[in-house]
Amino acid sequence: MLLWIACTALLLLFFLFHHPYFLQDVQYVLSKLKIRRRIGKYMQTNYLVLDCFLDAVKTQPHRPFIHFKDETFAYQDADVLSNKAARVFLQDRCVQRGDTVALFLGNEPMFVWIWLGLVKIGCSAAFLNCNVRSKSLLHCFSCSGAKTLVAAEELQDAVEEVLPGLMEQQVSVYILGDRCKPAGVKSFTDRMSRASSEAPSKELRSHLTLQSTAVYIYTSGTTGLPKAAVVSHARLWAMSLLPAMAGMTSEDVTYVCLPLYHSAGLLGLTGGIERGVPVVLRSKFSASQFWDDCRKYNVTVIQYIGETMRYLCNTPKKLSDRNHKVRLAVGNGIKADVWREVRRRFGNIQIREFYAATEGNFSLLNYSSKIGAVGRHSILNKWISPYAVIKYNVEQEEPLRDSSGFCIQAAKGEPGLLVCLITARTPFSGYAGDLQQTEKKKLHDVFKKGDVYFNTGDLLRIDEDNFFYFQDRVGDTFRWKGENVATTEVADVITLAGCIKEANVYGVEVPGQEGRAGMAAVTLRDGLPFDSSDVFKRVENFLPAYARPRFIRIQRSLEVTGTFKHLKVKLVEEGFDLNQITDPVYFLDEKKKNYIPLTQDICHSVTAGQIKI
């Protein structure tokens, strides 16, 4: 018997020596199964994230919930204020249960009160990106089906720009604040100050299930205009449980400086609700004040995207760099060099990198702390959430298929397109009011006739040790400053300039920067010179700062495929390197508010980090 136990132990040690991550893989899959069972239990009782919040109000009414600037709101305070926000909609009779209300707000407590209030009366919310303007703003509002808009006071000018279009649709428009408002626009804060704090009847939300739409979150896509990803209450629960899965506990204090209108910021808020912890909310990320905030509020968990971590590492070094209580960082997009620098400079912070998409049906978590990886590939994980990395033709922008018409699995170490099987357990809810774009995200007959996979639009690779690494985005989007940029939307704006005949927009790598900076190859109308000031005026008026092309390359003609799609591979490879380009190239100079000729000196300053773009 002792000999058998000894042999078994030796075999187990031998196995674990050759498979050092096996126990972590098992633990991760068990955690995913536990979450799946938990959400399944919530489905039976229609238990929402709101109900979790209300339970916290009962059990810990006086515990801090939101810290914002010099104000602190307890869970009980948030309950009262969200009741008052709900009452505004009920008293004005501008919404009925099941309606959608669009929120055009930055990070502030009122965002939280209004959203919670909307769920209390059985409504969903559309979270509009504060950077969108004009045509994009109207598009985002309309595709959600909303008939009510609540906007921040500082965004009133953007609202006034599209107000005629909103009034044509008989939209109720509210502004947070008392600044001079045009006719037909009402003050939400004034009404809320006079509203009752009595909780709305639960009957108003009795129709909600976990399959109901909770929020619409906007993502850029191949159409050139943002798409409204449908986030169900079940999907919201899955997002909310990620921080706990990454290691956040009920004793933590979490810091949210990412936009609440993005899934990253919302995840931080609802993850805090799920754990019942204080959430430190900041209006926007500030590298210079980040650690001061963490010290002031005793923050223990922070959120990040790759850019925020790099910005922190680029700040001047201080003796107080390690003087904080932060132990856990949850986010995505951090590169290996920044990861190492964060640990070296700011202390032994446990970094939990994850991979996910707002509308996606699959996620990964780097539970092994492998620097640079986004998660691990394992048979167990693939069993509960079927996925594959398939060969992809970047130039033709489509998967490679074999002689039978089926997709081909990428080899270890080979970048490929990540796809995930769509099932009842791993659903894809699609985009509101856009069946065409919803269908474009589905891949049919991937490995057998009739199967349907979600196309992530991302190239990943799996190394020999079964770690996932993010490689790049495919299609008509690239990522810059933590935002997705739709190339066709940018091209549409550039061609508004009288001198531009055609534009091909793409992203190029910039040394020391996360993501890709926007660049456009353009052709000019016959006989017209490049009007740099007109082009600048167009991109400044119609595009958010992160989407404005940093470089413009003037070409005689644009290369296209047989189906007239713009060729980008060679352009991306050449970037803005003047040693490879003979075409004239212009650079976006923010100070001069113009596009100026790109010189070798400017090019060197950009690559050396002396000119920030």
Side-chain angles (χ1 to χ4, degrees):
M1 184 64 178
L2 290 175
L3 180 61
W4 181 85
I5 294 174
C7 290
T8 302
L10 286 173
L11 286 172
L12 180 60
L13 288 172
F14 179 81
F15 178 82
L16 292 177
F17 178 78
H18 288 280
H19 301 85
Y21 300 102
F22 176 74
L23 293 179
Q24 290 183 357
D25 293 342
V26 171
Q27 185 179 12
Y28 173 68
V29 170
L30 289 175
S31 297
K32 289 186 76 171
L33 287 172
K34 184 178 179 181
I35 286 176
R36 185 173 288 180
R37 286 195 301 270
R38 185 173 168 184
I39 295 176
K41 181 181 177 182
Y42 291 162
M43 282 185 173
Q44 295 174 9
T45 58
N46 294 325
Y47 187 78
L48 311 177
V49 171
L50 171 68
D51 295 309
C52 184
F53 165 76
L54 294 174
D55 284 345
V57 172
K58 293 176 184 176
T59 58
Q60 49 182 36
H62 304 297
R63 188 179 192 189
F65 172 40
I66 298 290
H67 294 292
F68 183 75
K69 297 181 178 178
D70 293 324
E71 292 185 288
T72 296
F73 301 89
Y75 273 82
Q76 188 178 63
D77 298 327
D79 186 38
V80 169
L81 290 165
S82 58
N83 286 343
K84 291 171 74 68
R87 288 289 171 186
V88 174
F89 297 115
L90 293 176
Q91 289 167 9
D92 281 14
R93 298 182 180 180
C94 59
V95 300
Q96 298 178 359
R97 71 178 198 167
D99 283 354
T100 298
V101 174
L103 305 187
F104 193 35
L105 308 172
N107 284 14
E108 57 176 302
M110 280 291 285
F111 188 114
V112 183
W113 316 150
I114 295 172
W115 172 57
L116 289 173
L118 286 171
V119 185
K120 286 181 176 182
I121 58 175
C123 293
S124 58
F127 294 164
L128 304 183
N129 187 321
C130 292
N131 295 293
V132 296
R133 295 290 185 274
S134 189
K135 178 183 175 183
S136 291
L137 177 55
L138 273 178
H139 164 81
C140 291
F141 178 84
S142 298
C143 68
S144 71
K147 288 297 181 182
T148 303
L149 172 68
V150 183
E153 186 173 30
E154 62 271 18
L155 296 172
Q156 183 170 310
D157 291 343
V159 173
E160 288 186 31
E161 185 181 358
V162 298
L163 196 56
L166 295 174
M167 291 303 164
E168 283 181 14
Q169 302 176 46
Q170 296 183 319
V171 174
S172 298
V173 181
Y174 294 90
I175 294 291
L176 300 184
D178 300 314
R179 187 160 67 93
C180 180
K181 295 173 289 296
V185 176
K186 296 168 278 192
S187 170
F188 192 90
T189 46
D190 178 56
R191 282 166 167 73
M192 187 170 156
S193 66
R194 294 184 277 107
S196 165
S197 61
E198 183 182 356
S201 169
K202 291 183 180 180
E203 178 63 27
L204 291 170
R205 58 180 183 273
S206 62
H207 65 289
L208 294 180
T209 69
L210 261 67
Q211 281 79 28
S212 302
T213 299
V215 296
Y216 298 100
I217 297 179
Y218 292 81
T219 177
S220 297
T222 54
T223 60
L225 288 170
K227 304 188 293 286
V230 179
V231 179
S232 68
H233 283 281
R235 174 69 175 155
L236 186 62
W237 260 125
M239 292 166 51
S240 306
L241 289 163
L242 194 149
M245 196 173 183
M248 192 166 83
T249 73
S250 59
E251 301 301 316
D252 282 310
V253 176
T254 187
Y255 184 67
V256 177
C257 58
L258 303 177
L260 291 174
Y261 58 74
H262 272 188
S263 53
L266 182 61
L267 177 153
L269 172 67
T270 59
I273 291 174
E274 189 276 331
R275 297 280 87 180
V277 303
V279 176
V280 179
L281 184 64
R282 186 175 178 86
S283 55
K284 61 181 179 179
F285 170 77
S286 169
S288 62
Q289 298 179 47
F290 186 93
W291 294 112
D292 288 337
D293 282 348
C294 289
R295 284 185 282 269
K296 178 179 179 180
Y297 297 106
N298 294 315
V299 170
T300 57
V301 178
I302 60 175
Q303 277 187 281
Y304 69 86
I305 55 174
E307 278 294 294
T308 58
M309 287 302 213
R310 186 178 291 278
Y311 288 147
L312 291 175
C313 291
N314 287 341
T315 57
K317 293 181 179 179
K318 296 181 179 180
L319 294 175
S320 60
D321 278 346
R322 289 176 174 242
N323 179 23
H324 58 78
K325 296 182 179 180
V326 175
R327 63 172 189 85
L328 177 67
V330 183
N332 54 16
I334 188 171
K335 289 192 174 181
D337 60 329
V338 178
W339 189 320
R340 295 187 183 94
E341 176 62 14
V342 168
R343 294 285 298 274
R344 185 193 66 78
R345 179 171 165 184
F346 300 110
N348 189 27
I349 300 173
Q350 189 176 59
I351 294 176
R352 284 287 180 259
E353 174 85 357
F354 69 87
Y355 168 86
T358 301
E359 72 275 44
N361 64 342
F362 178 71
S363 64
L364 292 164
L365 178 66
N366 184 352
Y367 47 85
S368 302
S369 296
K370 177 74 170 181
I371 293 178
V374 298
R376 276 186 55 75
H377 162 70
S378 74
I379 299 300
L380 291 172
N381 194 22
K382 194 170 184 177
W383 171 62
I384 65 169
S385 302
Y387 61 84
V389 176
I390 59 176
K391 291 179 179 289
Y392 188 81
N393 187 318
V394 176
E395 291 188 1
Q396 295 182 4
E397 296 184 356
E398 62 184 17
L400 291 174
R401 294 182 181 262
D402 60 22
S403 58
S404 300
F406 297 124
C407 295
I408 307 165
Q409 297 242 25
K412 287 283 184 72
E414 178 185 13
L417 179 69
L418 177 65
V419 296
C420 316
L421 185 65
I422 298 174
T423 68
R425 289 186 172 180
T426 53
F428 167 53
S429 300
Y431 307 106
D434 201 333
L435 183 61
Q436 182 181 7
Q437 289 302 319
T438 297
E439 288 302 312
K440 285 181 71 173
K441 292 296 286 184
K442 297 177 182 178
L443 278 181
H444 295 265
D445 304 329
V446 175
F447 295 117
K448 63 181 182 181
K449 284 289 182 182
D451 65 12
V452 185
Y453 279 70
F454 173 72
N455 177 357
T456 65
D458 292 325
L459 297 177
L460 282 79
R461 66 178 174 87
I462 303 173
D463 71 3
E464 293 298 327
D465 293 323
N466 287 324
F467 283 98
F468 271 103
Y469 293 86
F470 179 85
Q471 294 294 118
D472 210 344
R473 299 184 68 84
V474 301
D476 292 329
T477 61
F478 59 91
R479 200 159 179 83
W480 179 244
K481 300 297 183 184
E483 300 275 358
N484 291 337
V485 180
T487 58
T488 49
E489 180 183 12
V490 178
D492 287 344
V493 170
I494 293 175
T495 51
L496 291 174
C499 64
I500 304 297
K501 179 181 179 182
E502 196 175 7
N504 181 10
V505 179
Y506 48 97
V508 295
E509 291 186 343
V510 179
Q513 298 282 348
E514 303 287 347
R516 295 175 182 268
M519 186 165 183
V522 304
T523 56
L524 302 177
R525 296 189 183 277
D526 292 343
L528 293 180
F530 178 62
D531 188 344
S532 60
S533 60
D534 187 29
V535 175
F536 178 86
K537 181 176 67 175
R538 303 293 181 178
V539 301
E540 184 184 47
N541 288 342
F542 295 106
L543 290 173
Y546 63 80
R548 298 168 191 166
R550 264 45 194 173
F551 307 95
I552 291 183
R553 176 176 177 175
I554 314 297
Q555 293 190 301
R556 291 186 177 181
S557 62
L558 301 181
E559 288 187 271
V560 295
T561 67
T563 54
F564 304 104
K565 292 182 178 179
H566 286 135
L567 287 171
K568 303 185 182 188
V569 175
K570 186 179 179 182
L571 294 172
V572 171
E573 289 176 352
E574 293 174 347
F576 56 95
D577 185 357
L578 295 181
N579 294 319
Q580 298 187 60
I581 301 173
T582 57
D583 300 321
V585 180
Y586 288 78
F587 174 68
L588 177 62
D589 190 316
E590 299 279 8
K591 293 182 179 178
K592 294 182 179 179
K593 290 188 171 296
N594 205 344
Y595 281 95
I596 62 174
L598 180 68
T599 64
Q600 286 286 6
D601 286 343
I602 293 175
C603 193
H604 174 74
S605 296
V606 169
T607 56
Q610 296 167 350
I611 294 179
K612 298 188 182 300
I613 64 172

